[in-house]
Amino acid sequence: MNTIIENTINFVKETLKDAEGGHDWFHIERVYKNAVLISKDESVDPFVVSLGALLHDIADPKFFNGDETVGPKIATKFLVEQNVAKDVITHVINIIKHISFKNSLETNGKKFTSKELEVVQDADRLDAIGAIGIARCFNYGGFKNRALYDPEVLPNLNMTKEEYKNSSAPTINHFYEKLLLLKDKMNTVTGQQIAAERHLFMELFLKQFDDEWNGIK
């Protein structure tokens, strides 16, 4: 198993070597470390958690014209080549398919659930908040050439999955449309504890941003 994990790390590093800064190998590495940390307090299969964390963004749909099938296909091919058991592959692919925030906006269809998914999902969401979450948010906004903020464009707090995927709103709106909501969507106690501190940091940042924008200080 350790060899497979090492091979997976090398595969992900190579695959994402030219990725956008918020979705590169270092993002994967942080999620992997978060997942390992959270797993210590959960009854989960650490092998599935590790593979799920390492492969969850192997082909993020936002960089593939919204195609959500690319990641699962790449991950499946790799895991088959590594002779990973079929039930493990199925579980990891389900994690990849169901981890994202946008998929939680769907109101129909049967949802996949597992403790392993909950751990990897918490680990991924933790990397979207706090200091690193702020940095990633603005990095992606710059990558998409979005405005920092526009007081005339109000956050959409009731987005559908399609609206979320197609949004081109200013970067600050993303805090209200997603990042500030993640604290209350954590699945595990460890995730909730870490998220609370990172959430507070984002609130302080937004207060400072607003004060500076309005010339208050």
Side-chain angles (χ1 to χ4, degrees), residues 79-152:
L79 293 172
V80 168
E81 290 172 349
Q82 297 297 311
N83 295 313
V84 174
K86 289 183 178 180
D87 61 323
V88 173
I89 294 176
T90 298
H91 198 161
V92 172
I93 297 307
N94 271 318
I95 289 174
I96 295 171
K97 287 181 177 179
H98 294 85
I99 189 173
S100 74
F101 173 79
K102 68 178 180 299
N103 287 338
S104 71
L105 301 175
E106 289 183 313
T107 57
N108 58 349
K110 186 177 180 180
K111 300 285 194 301
F112 170 82
T113 58
S114 77
K115 291 298 294 183
E116 288 78 8
L117 168 61
E118 290 180 355
V119 168
V120 179
Q121 193 171 58
D122 277 9
D124 187 39
R125 288 175 172 176
L126 285 175
D127 206 53
I129 60 178
I132 287 175
I134 292 170
R136 291 181 67 215
C137 188
F138 283 101
N139 190 82
Y140 185 72
F143 177 78
K144 300 293 286 187
N145 198 31
R146 292 178 180 170
L148 291 178
Y149 176 52
D150 184 342
E152 300 298 318

Side-chain angles (χ1 to χ4, degrees), residues 152-193:
E152 300 298 318
V153 182
L154 299 179
N156 181 355
L157 303 181
N158 295 290
M159 282 193 290
T160 64
K161 178 180 176 180
E162 287 305 311
E163 286 175 331
Y164 179 86
K165 287 172 64 176
N166 297 320
S167 175
S168 58
T171 297
I172 283 293
N173 289 30
H174 193 59
F175 284 85
Y176 299 96
E177 295 169 347
K178 175 184 176 181
L179 306 189
L180 291 174
L181 307 179
L182 295 180
K183 174 177 70 71
D184 294 329
K185 292 181 176 293
M186 291 291 160
N187 303 298
T188 65
V189 172
T190 303
Q192 291 165 2
Q193 292 171 341

